Amino acid sequence: MGTLGRTASPLLALLLALGCLAWQNPGTAAAAGSAHDNRPRVLVSTDIGGTDPDDFQSMVHLLVYADRFDLEGLVSSPFGPGRKQDILDVIDLYEHDFPNLRTYSRRYPSPSALRAITKQGAPDTLHHPGYGKPTEGSRWLVEHARSKDPRPLNVLVWGGMDDLAQALHDAPDILPKLRVYFIGGPNKMWSVDAYDYIERAHPALWMIEANSTYRGWFTGGDQTGEWANDSFVSTHVTGRGTLGDFFATLLGGTLKMGDSPSVGRLLSGNAADPTRPGWGGNFARVWDGRKTVFNRLTTEADIAEAFGVVELVLPLPKGFTDRNTATLLVDNRIPAPGVRQGHHVRFRFSPRDAKVWPYVIQSDFAGLNGQSGRFTATPPPVERTRTPSSVHPHWWTDDPDPAVAEGVHAGAKTVNRWRVDCLRDFAARMLRCASPAPAEGRTDMQRQSQRS
């Protein structure tokens, strides 16, 4: 045996030993091997447990694909009652299925590794100026964005933008490392001040703003037979491990998974180019002029862009002091707190649908209380969308081409065209929860780890 052969055996033994240790603690393995890991780095900011239960479905979806990502953070950023514990509850379910999942891939993170990266973000919407105090979640985002790992950090925002805004405010140097996929629409409406801060103060951010494209995950496409939203769950999810049974209890056993396009984009498509097709949709460069400012009460004749930002800036009546308050109640349900700016009060809102939006001012000052108006939100003019923004070089949004709209939902067909592909692959993943991989399909290292 030559010199190479004599020295290779101890080296091989060492590598195998390290590999077994890494398999027993996937969280540690990811941290130690990140410099040579070609998987996408992912941090999720979610309002799970808050106003929309579909985040639970998307969390199940994320976890059954967890071997495909280098998961670095799960941050609770709710509007409403959701908290970090809601993420931990799903990880508890994942723990039941983990013995089966790890027979398919040693890269599934251990439940303890997932718990260690679960953090609490802002417990509610931050209003003016769009940021407040650092949170456990925003600090975690900063820490990982500042990592020496050369790979970009994909931040998937499933809820409000508050923790992302806080992180950028506290550490603007992290901006070049971030690749943000924001599930906007209603989330933009509830966190409009954080969004407005990011848009104004950090225009160079790399951002996909999906206000309606994401709806293609559950709207349109092939919904015949087993691919319908309800029958898919009963056929391919129910009975597929603890995670599958939990998924089937959500939303009356109907698939929504509205945040999953952000995951789908990293599973299939060109992650570096949002204009290229993929499971997460494809997008157009954002355009300028999406904010509309009114200096008076408005009527239906006043037009603003749907999914844009609307500001109502009104002169303060004589006698209004800093002790007084005013809130714009939009559509009889959405509060937009007023902010005093000099001799004016400013209200900010993002209309999530193309329709007439009524509002009324609620104030403890009689000179403002009860004043009302309305405005009409419409799709952007075609001529406006044809010119990419002059200030946002790396910002994309829903493709305005009517050919890829699903009804009123711009861009949704760029997702639902892949419906059967996405769901067939997800169905195969759910089978992993139900039973271990066939013994003949496992590597020696996997079999050794399974025995231990």
Side-chain angles (χ1 to χ4, degrees), residues 412-448:
K413 284 185 177 178
T414 70
V415 169
N416 66 32
R417 62 179 287 198
W418 308 104
R419 180 180 176 87
V420 173
D421 295 326
C422 298
L423 295 186
R424 181 180 285 116
D425 200 68
F426 180 42
R429 287 275 163 162
M430 294 309 300
L431 286 171
R432 294 184 173 194
C433 297
S435 58
E440 61 272 15
R442 305 181 207 170
T443 67
D444 289 341
M445 186 180 298
Q446 286 173 317
R447 284 193 290 269
Q448 179 179 348

Side-chain angles (χ1 to χ4, degrees), residues 47 51-59 61 183 186-187 213-219 223 227-230 232-233 237 247 250-261 352 415 419 423 426:
D47 60 348
T51 57
D52 195 343
D54 81 315
D55 283 59
F56 283 109
Q57 292 187 344
S58 288
M59 186 61 68
H61 179 249
I183 302 293
N187 293 324
T213 296
Y214 72 91
R215 290 179 177 270
W217 201 272
F218 54 91
T219 303
Q223 298 210 24
W227 308 118
N229 287 335
D230 52 359
F232 176 82
V233 175
V237 179
F247 188 109
L250 302 165
L251 297 169
T254 301
L255 178 148
K256 186 178 180 185
M257 299 168 64
D259 301 291
S260 291
R352 56 162 283 182
V415 169
R419 180 180 176 87
L423 295 186
F426 180 42

Side-chain angles (χ1 to χ4, degrees), residues 28-50:
T28 302
S34 60
H36 307 289
D37 198 332
N38 59 3
R39 295 176 300 167
R41 300 172 65 207
V42 172
L43 183 148
V44 175
S45 172
T46 171
D47 60 348
I48 190 169

Side-chain angles (χ1 to χ4, degrees), residues 193-252:
D193 288 301
Y195 172 91
D196 188 73
Y197 164 73
I198 293 172
E199 189 271 336
R200 287 184 296 102
H202 305 281
L205 179 66
W206 196 106
M207 165 100 100
I208 293 174
E209 179 185 332
N211 292 310
S212 57
T213 296
Y214 72 91
R215 290 179 177 270
W217 201 272
F218 54 91
T219 303
D222 185 352
Q223 298 210 24
T224 60
E226 64 190 290
W227 308 118
N229 287 335
D230 52 359
S231 58
F232 176 82
V233 175
S234 60
T235 303
H236 296 292
V237 179
T238 302
R240 303 294 191 261
T242 304
L243 287 172
D245 285 339
F246 170 66
F247 188 109
T249 67
L250 302 165
L251 297 169

Side-chain angles (χ1 to χ4, degrees), residues 84-406:
K84 169 182 172 179
Q85 185 59 47
D86 294 295
I87 302 174
L88 296 174
D89 288 345
V90 183
I91 295 173
D92 289 345
L93 303 175
Y94 170 86
E95 186 166 27
H96 287 277
D97 294 340
F98 179 65
N100 287 337
L101 290 169
R102 69 177 180 173
T103 65
Y104 293 87
S105 171
R106 68 184 183 87
R107 284 183 154 178
Y108 276 104
S110 68
S112 60
L114 291 174
R115 293 184 182 107
I117 64 170
T118 301
K119 308 295 175 181
Q120 183 60 57
D124 210 341
T125 298
L126 300 175
H127 293 295
H128 181 80
Y131 56 85
K133 296 180 180 180
T135 67
E136 182 186 38
S138 71
R139 290 191 185 98
W140 188 256
L141 197 163
V142 170
E143 177 184 338
H144 283 258
R146 282 178 169 167
S147 163
K148 293 182 179 179
D149 192 314
R151 295 170 295 165
L153 180 62
N154 292 277
V155 180
L156 313 184
V157 182
W158 297 358
M161 304 196 79
D162 307 279
D163 286 291
L164 175 62
Q166 189 68 50
L168 284 167
H169 172 264
D170 297 340
D173 59 284
I174 69 174
L175 185 146
K177 207 66 168 289
L178 304 182
R179 302 293 182 269
V180 179
Y181 190 126
F182 174 43
I183 302 293
N187 293 324
K188 181 177 179 179
M189 181 176 69
W190 293 116
S191 61
V192 62
D193 288 301
Y195 172 91
D196 188 73
Y197 164 73
I198 293 172
E199 189 271 336
R200 287 184 296 102
H202 305 281
L205 179 66
W206 196 106
M207 165 100 100
I208 293 174
E209 179 185 332
N211 292 310
S212 57
T213 296
Y214 72 91
R215 290 179 177 270
W217 201 272
F218 54 91
T219 303
D222 185 352
Q223 298 210 24
T224 60
E226 64 190 290
W227 308 118
N229 287 335
D230 52 359
S231 58
F232 176 82
V233 175
S234 60
T235 303
H236 296 292
V237 179
T238 302
R240 303 294 191 261
T242 304
L243 287 172
D245 285 339
F246 170 66
F247 188 109
T249 67
L250 302 165
L251 297 169
T254 301
L255 178 148
K256 186 178 180 185
M257 299 168 64
D259 301 291
S260 291
S262 64
V263 178
R265 176 180 167 273
L266 299 175
L267 294 173
S268 176
N270 187 327
D273 186 356
T275 68
R276 300 289 296 277
W279 287 1
N282 50 274
F283 300 85
R285 278 280 307 281
V286 79
W287 48 90
D288 292 328
R290 296 192 302 152
K291 178 185 285 189
T292 306
V293 180
F294 296 110
N295 295 304
R296 52 177 171 75
L297 295 172
T298 55
T299 70
E300 281 187 38
D302 291 300
I303 305 298
E305 185 172 319
F307 300 117
V309 174
V310 175
E311 289 189 353
L312 191 66
V313 183
L314 302 177
L316 286 173
K318 186 176 180 180
F320 190 98
T321 72
D322 290 338
R323 294 188 299 273
N324 295 117
T325 62
T327 296
L328 193 73
L329 187 65
V330 185
D331 211 26
N332 201 35
R333 62 191 179 92
I334 305 156
V339 176
R340 182 169 183 171
Q341 295 178 330
H343 298 291
H344 294 79
V345 59
R346 192 263 306 137
F347 305 96
R348 184 179 290 134
F349 175 70
S350 178
R352 56 162 283 182
D353 298 304
K355 68 171 194 174
V356 175
W357 290 88
Y359 60 81
V360 61
I361 298 175
Q362 298 179 336
S363 176
D364 57 3
F365 188 79
L368 273 181
N369 189 50
Q371 292 192 32
S372 62
R374 49 188 46 210
F375 66 90
T376 302
T378 66
V382 173
E383 56 273 17
R384 182 185 301 166
T385 66
R386 288 174 177 165
T387 304
S389 171
S390 59
V391 295
H392 300 293
H394 310 297
W395 199 301
W396 295 264
T397 193
D398 310 301
D399 189 335
D401 184 350
V404 294
E406 185 66 55

